[in-house]
Structure formats: structure tokens, C-alpha cells
Amino acid sequence: MQLILASASPARLEVLRNAGVDVVAMPAQVDEDVVLSKLTSATPAEKVRKLAEVKALDLLGSARKDTIHAQIGSFGVEEEQDAVYILGCDSMFEFEGNVYGKPHTAENAVALFNKLTGKSGVLHTGMALICAQSYTDTSQEMRSRTVSAVVNFAQMTDAEIAQYVDTGEPLEVAGGFAIDGRGGAFIESIQGDYSAIVGVSVNALREMLKEYHEDIANFWTP
Amino acid sequence: MQLILASASPARLEVLRNAGVDVVAMPAQVDEDVVLSKLTSATPAEKVRKLAEVKALDLLGSARKDTIHAQIGSFGVEEEQDAVYILGCDSMFEFEGNVYGKPHTAENAVALFNKLTGKSGVLHTGMALICAQSYTDTSQEMRSRTVSAVVNFAQMTDAEIAQYVDTGEPLEVAGGFAIDGRGGAFIESIQGDYSAIVGVSVNALREMLKEYHEDIANFWTP
């Protein structure tokens, strides 16, 4: 068995590895803006699911079975007969009807936290799983879903907002907070799947693998 | 500023370090059974809070200011004038009115998961924070609280229970599941503070520090 994460996110890779899942990361090359331009009327939950599907398919299409196996070989996996699964993921943060991406600048981050303080938002994570060997253009067999979770932010003082933004951590995180980093100190509670908030739901991965008649245990490191 | 965690739990240490908190661990020497024997009518939430207080006080009592400073010195902290805080923690898992500790044996773990599958339990984490310099037997100034969070377990097949128990991970974890390990695959969602489920709430630590007029940012690693 081999799982390939079609994502460059270190946080996602860490979630899966902390959960004992043996995984390699091979980022997909997808122009998200082009995909999203065709989904203008979709909800955030639909958008992340579609983007996850496009990412997984992109990796499958650009790599295909032989290439994937060659690439996996370089990561030390020898048994060519093992099934290869590709997991695409995408996340969006929704707050009061708007979607917030990465703040990029300290100014944007401060403005965002001034809105979020003491309130709740929703983190949507789309996931798509393809079995590389059995997928064909005619079978088009893919499993996908969105896992959404509520994030309840603590009241932050102006000093706390400034201190957190100063760390630089929020600038390149969707929604501006890293629940698995310093940002965790400002999250009072959640309702939903914690790992989905970080970017990939381990429970959803287990369930999707089951639909392919695979146990997640077969992907655990020894 | 220096924070000492009065706990031997690697999971707690990792939660705090992942949240950027600079902390050293110095386990307290407390006979929990003796403490609990005086709390027979207390709720689990009250018990973990009391145990957290006893652990923090034990470390303060056994070490006291000078010794603590000497010990901290060996960890590389030089500025003796900085405030030293001691954090005690204790966690219990409650399910259908009973408290479950570490399963210890595979047999116990399988029996426990057969109960938990598809149901919900509550993880209680007690936390107590003392400022070593300002605490005296007469001031008895201490902050403490319990953070409780609901854990919703996925439906587990017999095979999944056997596979998870085989990893050995559940045997020495209160309640038998490590949400921050392979066990995360079998937790559908939570309601509450994720880090409290792992064993120490970063948000509660931030709030308790505030009661001492300290910002958590002062405890962040650079």
C-alpha cells in the first residue's frame, strides 16, 4: 500500500504522520483560480471538494501509474504490486458568509483578527481519494467529501493580536490562524473534526479507504 | 519567564511545544490514590482539578524557589530574576458515568473499545498554575480550573479494534485512545478544546497566565 498526498502543506503531512500514516507528498500543479472561475455559484464546501478532486486527478494525470511507481521507488517503496492511492485536499475558512484566504500582510492579519475575536467561523476541508491502479478515464472511480468544523475563537486583546501577528505565523495560513501552532492559544473550542481544521481529516481518510475495502491499518508505519 | 510542567506526559509537553510555549517538564511525585481516597464524592471534573493542584504544589514544595532556579539553570535559563510558573495537570476520561484509566492490557482495551464504538465520552483536564516567587503558605495564591470536552467516537469494526489495540498505543493512555496518534482515525468529532483532550489546554493556560497579568507571548520561543 502507498498513499500519496497531492499537497505541499507541511501541516497536512504532519497530521497524517502523527496519526501513524505512511505517506509521501507530491504537490499537484493546479491553477486554483481557473477552477474556481467555473464554480462561482458553488458553496465553500462544494469548492473545496472540487479543488481536492482536481488536485488528485492532476497528480494522477501528470504522473500516471508507471511514473508514480518510479517516483515511489525513489522514496524507498519496493513492492510494485501494492496499490497506490492519491489523496487531494483543499481547505477554506468561512466567516460570516465570506471566505478568507491567507492574510499575506500583517495589516490584513490584524484586520482579520479584529473581526474574528470572540466569534465563530467554519473551516471546510475537501478530500478526494483515487486508487491509481483501478482508475481509468471510463471508470472515473473517485471518493470525495467535505468535512466542515466550527472554530470558536477566544476574545483577543489588541496586544495579543499584535503579538500573534508579530510571530509571522498567521500570514500564510488560510483564515490567519494555525490551530496546530501558536494560534491554538486563541481557540477556545471547536465543534467537529480537529484534523480537518488542520487540513486533512484522518477519520474521513479511514472512511474513504474503507469504501475501497482498505483498512487504514495497512497504511500505518510499523 | 519560565514555565515548568509538573507532569511526565510526553503528549502534554508536545502540545505546549507545538504551541510555541517554552517549557521544561519536572514530574511531581504524588500518590494519586491517596488524594483520590479523600475525594470519593467528588465529580471527575473536581478530581482532576484537585489532582492538578496537588501536583503543582508538590513540585513547588519539593523544589521551592532556590532549587527550582538551580534546576532551571541546568536547562539553560540564566536570568534568575524572571518569574517561574508551575503548571500541574491531570486528565480523566468519563464514559456513561464511569471513569476509565489506562487499559494496561490488550484484553481491557478491546473491551473498552467495544463499549466506546459509535458513542461519546468526556475528557476532563484539570490545570493548576502557581507563580513560584509570589506563592507563600499564607498567600496560597493559585489559579486552577477544569476544561471538559466531548469526544465522539466513530463506529469501529472488530478488525479495526484489533488492529488499533495491536499497535500497543491504547494500553497506557487514559480512556484507551490517543487522539493525537493513530487513535485520531477513530474519532469522528469533538465538542470543546482539542488540546485539553490531549492533556493540557493551551487556551486555558493563556487565560490563567492573564490572571497573573502575564501574556502567553512572553513564554513563546523566539
Side-chain angles (χ1 to χ4, degrees):
Chain A
M1 302 306 161
Q2 182 59 47
L3 182 67
I4 303 176
L5 177 65
S7 166
S9 154
R12 289 196 180 104
L13 201 60
E14 205 186 330
V15 164
L16 292 171
R17 290 187 172 159
N18 286 346
V21 176
D22 190 18
V23 60
V24 293
M26 297 182 189
Q29 305 293 331
V30 169
D31 187 332
E32 300 193 11
D33 291 336
V34 171
V35 179
L36 290 172
S37 69
K38 296 169 190 163
L39 298 170
T40 47
S41 63
T43 64
E46 292 165 343
K47 286 176 182 170
V48 291
R49 182 173 176 168
K50 188 67 191 176
L51 278 167
E53 291 178 354
V54 171
K55 288 179 183 178
L57 285 170
D58 171 80
L59 201 69
L60 181 73
S62 67
R64 275 288 165 190
K65 196 176 161 183
D66 292 347
T67 319
I68 287 173
H69 269 216
Q71 288 184 278
I72 290 169
S74 71
F75 284 88
V77 176
E78 304 279 311
E79 297 113 310
E80 296 264 343
Q81 74 278 15
D82 277 355
V84 175
Y85 289 86
I86 298 175
L87 178 65
C89 295
D90 194 76
S91 297
M92 285 184 184
F93 177 67
E94 185 179 10
F95 175 70
E96 296 186 344
N98 296 311
V99 167
Y100 290 83
K102 301 172 182 176
H104 294 305
T105 69
E107 199 177 7
N108 289 343
V110 169
L112 178 59
F113 289 125
N114 275 317
K115 289 180 191 168
L116 298 181
T117 176
K119 296 192 178 163
S120 302
V122 179
L123 205 299
H124 303 280
T125 287
M127 295 170 62
L129 189 65
I130 297 174
C131 178
Q133 279 89 341
S134 65
Y135 186 94
T136 64
D137 292 336
T138 52
S139 79
Q140 298 190 353
E141 194 194 26
M142 169 155 54
R143 311 292 176 179
S144 68
R145 60 177 67 190
T146 296
V147 184
S148 302
V150 176
V151 181
N152 303 311
F153 295 91
Q155 285 283 354
M156 296 175 81
T157 63
D158 290 345
E160 285 175 328
I161 290 174
Q163 287 158 353
Y164 183 42
V165 171
D166 269 357
T167 66
E169 183 184 274
L171 305 193
E172 300 307 323
V173 183
F177 64 92
I179 192 172
D180 55 333
R182 286 167 174 74
F186 306 105
I187 292 169
E188 205 164 82
S189 63
I190 69 167
Q191 284 122 44
D193 186 325
Y194 171 79
S195 57
I197 295 174
V198 185
V200 53
S201 162
V202 185
N203 178 61
L205 172 62
R206 180 184 61 82
E207 291 181 339
M208 289 195 292
L209 284 170
K210 253 187 183 171
E211 294 179 26
Y212 287 108
H213 308 288
E214 299 277 11
D215 283 325
I216 195 167
N218 295 331
F219 295 82
W220 283 339
T221 50
Chain B
M1 303 302 162
Q2 183 60 48
L3 182 67
I4 302 176
L5 178 65
S7 165
S9 154
R12 288 196 181 105
L13 201 59
E14 205 186 331
V15 165
L16 292 172
R17 290 187 172 159
N18 286 346
V21 176
D22 189 19
V23 59
V24 293
M26 297 183 188
Q29 305 293 331
V30 169
D31 187 333
E32 300 194 12
D33 292 337
V34 171
V35 179
L36 290 173
S37 69
K38 296 170 190 164
L39 298 170
T40 47
S41 62
T43 64
E46 291 164 344
K47 286 176 181 170
V48 292
R49 182 174 176 168
K50 188 67 191 176
L51 278 166
E53 291 178 353
V54 171
K55 287 180 184 179
L57 285 171
D58 171 80
L59 200 69
L60 181 73
S62 67
R64 275 287 166 190
K65 196 175 162 185
D66 292 347
T67 319
I68 288 172
H69 270 217
Q71 287 184 280
I72 290 169
S74 72
F75 283 88
V77 176
E78 302 280 311
E79 297 113 311
E80 294 266 342
Q81 73 278 21
D82 278 356
V84 174
Y85 289 85
I86 297 175
L87 178 65
C89 296
D90 194 76
S91 297
M92 285 184 183
F93 178 66
E94 184 178 12
F95 176 69
E96 296 184 344
N98 296 311
V99 168
Y100 290 83
K102 301 172 182 178
H104 294 305
T105 70
E107 201 178 5
N108 289 344
V110 169
L112 177 59
F113 289 125
N114 275 317
K115 290 180 192 168
L116 298 181
T117 175
K119 296 191 179 164
S120 301
V122 179
L123 204 299
H124 303 279
T125 287
M127 294 170 62
L129 188 65
I130 297 174
C131 178
Q133 278 91 339
S134 64
Y135 186 94
T136 64
D137 293 337
T138 52
S139 81
Q140 298 190 352
E141 194 194 27
M142 169 154 55
R143 312 292 177 178
S144 68
R145 59 177 67 187
T146 296
V147 183
S148 302
V150 176
V151 181
N152 304 310
F153 295 93
Q155 284 283 354
M156 296 175 82
T157 63
D158 289 345
E160 285 175 328
I161 290 174
Q163 287 158 352
Y164 184 42
V165 172
D166 269 357
T167 66
E169 181 183 276
L171 305 193
E172 301 306 323
V173 183
F177 63 92
I179 192 171
D180 55 332
R182 285 168 173 74
F186 306 105
I187 292 170
E188 206 164 80
S189 64
I190 68 167
Q191 283 121 45
D193 186 327
Y194 171 80
S195 57
I197 295 174
V198 185
V200 53
S201 162
V202 185
N203 178 60
L205 172 62
R206 180 185 61 83
E207 291 181 339
M208 289 194 292
L209 284 170
K210 253 187 183 170
E211 294 178 27
Y212 287 108
H213 309 288
E214 298 277 11
D215 283 327
I216 195 167
N218 294 330
F219 295 82
W220 283 341
T221 49

